[in-house]
């Protein structure tokens, strides 16, 4: 179909797209509480004429259009981080108000705008007859804020599915994003000996054992920073101890480490770093496994260690994105991005599936007070997705 025809159909649905995005933002969908937004997305997919719309056993909502052999998947997560301080917001976080062309609310950037744009784009592709030889999946995945990639991994396994291409609709300010940093989340535990608080010399204080380890973590982060840009990071993100009582020497102390990896750094590098950080101390380390229960009772087990990744600039998926960008915006891409944060991309990338990122919203506004997204960029993202379906 002619590019102009695709854009005209997108324009026709523009107002409906924004209303749907507002509807999604109004629904509070904290991680493991996504049931209401799943229902809203499912109903919209059915209303828009998806060939199939269903909920998998993990609790993800899935829309399918087309029957071709080439499988193109657009993924967005449904969950958001919480709002601990709603009184600090200029605009209430679940009213989805539009002020000066900006849609305000929790999830407006991360990432209900990208979700809504992809839901409409697939339906537009069907209306424009762009699906010859193609099948489009649009997924709204659960608990991504805690369990990157586990959600769609469980979907793939349940339906024996391997897409040919995956687009992650995370916020990129509508800049084609070629990859993201790797991540390792590590639990370090020091082991002490309990004793009564009146006789601490009879015990070994696990917190004191941890003190030097914490200094080593801080020093390692400084070392990484001093390597210049880009650079990896290491931060202590949680700490706690185990003690028989407030009158006892702590017998155990644990810290949680968030380590972000740049291209060229590997999982083996991180493991060697951890060995060095605990060397000579009464300590052990392990991958900081997270366990969550989805809104519908599914058990998610997340092993948070993933290598960084980047798609080649000359890959056919990247080139199709270039063409779609030019059709959408009337100019070639001036730059590309590389996310600092992790996404569900870790699953398709680990399977060898070509994966790329593109979505509306400035990702630096994610998780922040007064999170907001430009409504024109939501419409543009929908155009880009529809053009990309045509160009793949």
């Amino acid at each position: 179909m002619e590019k102009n025809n695709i854009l005209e159909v997108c324009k026709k649905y523009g107002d409906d797209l924004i209303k749907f995005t507002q509807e999604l933002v109004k629904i509070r969908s904290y991680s493991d509480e996504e049931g209401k937004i799943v229902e809203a997305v499912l109903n919209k997919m059915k209303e828009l004429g998806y060939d199939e719309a269903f909920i998998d056993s993990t609790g993800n909502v899935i829309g399918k259009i087309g029957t071709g052999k080439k499988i193109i998947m657009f993924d967005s997560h449904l969950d958001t981080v919480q709002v601990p301080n709603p009184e600090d917001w200029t605009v209430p976080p679940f009213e989805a108000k539009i002020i000066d062309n900006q849609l305000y609310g929790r999830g407006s950037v991360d990432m209900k705008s990208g979700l809504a744009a992809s839901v409409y784009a697939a339906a537009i592709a069907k209306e424009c007859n762009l699906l010859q030889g193609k099948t489009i999946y649009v997924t709204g995945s659960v608990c991504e804020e805690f369990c990157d990639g586990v959600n769609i991994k469980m979907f793939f396994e349940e339906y024996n599915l391997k897409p040919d291409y995956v687009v992650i609709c995370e916020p990129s300010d509508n800049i084609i994003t070629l990859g993201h940093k790797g991540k390792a989340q590590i639990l370090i535990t020091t082991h002490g000996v309990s004793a009564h608080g009146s006789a601490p010399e009879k015990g070994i204080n696990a917190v004191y054992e941890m003190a030097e380890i914490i200094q080593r973590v801080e020093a390692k982060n400084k070392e990484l920073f001093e390597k210049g840009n880009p650079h990896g990071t290491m931060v202590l993100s949680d700490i706690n101890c185990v003690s028989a009582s407030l009158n006892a020497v702590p017998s155990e102390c644990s810290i949680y480490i968030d380590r972000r990896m740049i291209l060229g750094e590997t999982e083996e590098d991180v493991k060697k770093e951890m060995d060095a950080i605990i060397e000579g101390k009464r300590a052990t380390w392990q991958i900081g496994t997270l366990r969550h229960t989805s809104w519908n009772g599914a058990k998610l087990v997340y092993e948070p260690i993933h290598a960084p990744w980047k798609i080649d600039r000359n890959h056919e998926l990247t080139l199709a994105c270039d063409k779609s960008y030019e059709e959408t915006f009337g100019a070639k891409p001036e730059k590309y991005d590389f996310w600092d944060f992790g996404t569900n991309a870790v699953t398709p990338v680990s399977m060898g599936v070509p994966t790329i990122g593109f979505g509306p919203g400035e990702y630096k506004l994610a998780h922040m007070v007064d999170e907001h997204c430009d409504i024109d960029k939501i419409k543009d993202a929908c155009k880009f997705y529809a053009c990309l379906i045509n160009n793949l």
Side-chain angles (χ1 to χ4, degrees):
M1 170 173 270
E2 289 283 338
K3 171 195 70 175
N4 290 339
N5 291 338
I6 298 171
L7 299 184
E8 281 301 313
V9 175
C10 289
K11 183 177 180 180
K12 179 179 73 171
Y13 285 103
D15 290 343
D16 290 341
L17 165 60
I18 300 306
K19 289 177 183 176
F20 178 52
T21 311
Q22 287 180 282
E23 178 187 346
L24 297 181
V25 172
K26 287 178 181 178
I27 300 172
R28 200 187 83 173
S29 58
Y30 295 157
S31 301
D32 306 333
E33 301 176 12
E34 301 98 334
K36 289 184 178 179
I37 194 170
V38 165
E39 182 179 355
V41 174
L42 183 71
N43 290 338
K44 180 58 67 174
M45 288 173 168
K46 292 177 178 179
E47 177 188 320
L48 290 172
Y50 274 61
D51 297 338
E52 295 181 41
F54 58 94
I55 303 167
D56 69 4
S57 62
T58 305
N60 303 307
V61 59
I62 317 295
K64 180 183 177 184
I65 295 179
T67 58
K69 290 185 178 181
K70 184 184 294 183
I71 299 173
I72 306 165
M73 176 172 156
F74 294 83
D75 177 69
S76 306
H77 63 82
L78 302 164
D79 60 319
T80 74
V81 297
Q82 297 192 11
V83 181
N85 50 349
E87 68 280 358
D88 292 342
W89 287 60
T90 305
V91 178
F94 298 106
E95 288 191 5
K97 288 186 177 179
I98 296 174
I99 302 174
D100 295 331
N101 220 51
Q102 305 295 317
L103 170 59
Y104 282 79
R106 175 58 83 227
S108 58
V109 168
D110 189 20
M111 57 176 294
K112 295 178 180 181
S113 294
L115 168 65
S118 65
V119 168
Y120 266 83
I124 289 166
K126 180 179 181 180
E127 182 170 330
C128 293
N129 298 313
L130 308 180
L131 300 178
Q132 186 173 359
K134 302 169 188 175
T135 298
I136 310 302
Y137 281 91
V138 176
T139 53
S141 47
V142 298
C143 199
E144 185 272 351
E145 294 291 354
F146 289 98
C147 300
D148 294 353
V150 176
N151 37 34
I152 56 173
K153 179 181 180 182
M154 294 170 73
F155 164 57
F156 291 160
E157 290 174 349
E158 181 177 0
Y159 290 90
N160 192 29
L161 179 70
K162 183 179 179 181
D164 293 287
Y165 306 102
V166 170
V167 179
I168 300 296
C169 305
E170 289 270 11
S172 69
D173 206 24
N174 285 355
I175 296 171
I176 298 167
T177 300
L178 304 179
H180 64 62
K181 286 184 175 180
K183 176 174 70 174
Q185 291 173 211
I186 307 293
L187 183 67
I188 297 178
T189 304
T190 50
H191 311 280
V193 176
S194 183
H196 196 277
S198 64
E201 71 280 0
K202 294 182 179 179
I204 299 174
N205 194 313
V207 175
Y208 297 167
E209 280 290 299
M210 186 64 78
E212 185 176 346
I213 289 175
I214 292 172
Q215 291 178 328
R216 293 175 184 178
V217 169
E218 185 179 17
K220 186 63 184 181
N221 184 61
K222 183 179 179 182
E223 176 189 326
L224 293 168
F225 183 83
E226 289 175 347
K227 291 181 179 180
N229 288 318
H231 61 80
T233 56
M234 182 182 294
V235 65
L236 187 162
S237 58
D238 190 39
I239 184 170
N240 64 78
C241 72
V242 174
S243 184
S245 75
L246 292 178
N247 302 314
V249 173
S251 58
E252 185 175 289
C253 181
S254 62
I255 61 174
Y256 206 79
I257 301 296
D258 184 301
R259 171 70 162 94
R260 300 295 165 132
M261 294 174 275
I262 61 171
L263 293 168
E265 294 181 321
T266 68
E267 296 174 15
E268 286 304 313
D269 293 333
V270 173
K271 292 174 181 178
K272 289 177 182 177
E273 289 173 355
M274 294 302 120
D275 288 340
I277 282 172
I278 68 169
E279 186 177 2
K281 309 304 291 182
R282 295 169 60 95
T284 55
W285 69 267
Q286 63 188 47
I287 304 301
T289 303
L290 296 176
R291 290 176 170 82
H292 274 257
T293 301
S294 176
W295 67 273
N296 70 341
K299 303 299 181 183
L300 284 73
V301 180
Y302 176 49
E303 298 293 332
I305 183 163
H306 311 291
W309 64 277
K310 185 179 182 180
I311 193 169
D312 190 271
R313 266 288 294 110
N314 293 314
H315 191 281
E316 60 185 355
L317 176 56
T318 312
L319 296 177
C321 284
D322 287 348
K323 184 178 181 182
S324 303
Y325 187 97
E326 187 170 1
E327 291 172 348
T328 301
F329 299 103
K332 297 180 183 296
E334 294 182 356
K335 59 182 179 179
Y336 300 86
D337 210 342
F338 186 85
W339 285 317
D340 286 337
F341 53 88
T343 74
N344 278 343
V346 296
T347 288
V349 167
S350 71
M351 297 165 60
V353 176
T355 303
I356 207 160
F358 186 96
E362 299 178 44
Y363 57 78
K364 296 301 182 184
L365 297 175
H367 301 190
M368 291 186 65
V369 169
D370 287 339
E371 180 180 349
H372 59 275
C373 185
D374 188 307
I375 63 172
D376 288 337
K377 291 185 177 181
I378 302 171
K379 296 175 183 178
D380 287 341
C382 182
K383 296 172 189 176
F384 175 88
Y385 296 149
C387 290
L388 182 58
I389 291 169
N390 186 45
N391 290 325
L392 281 173

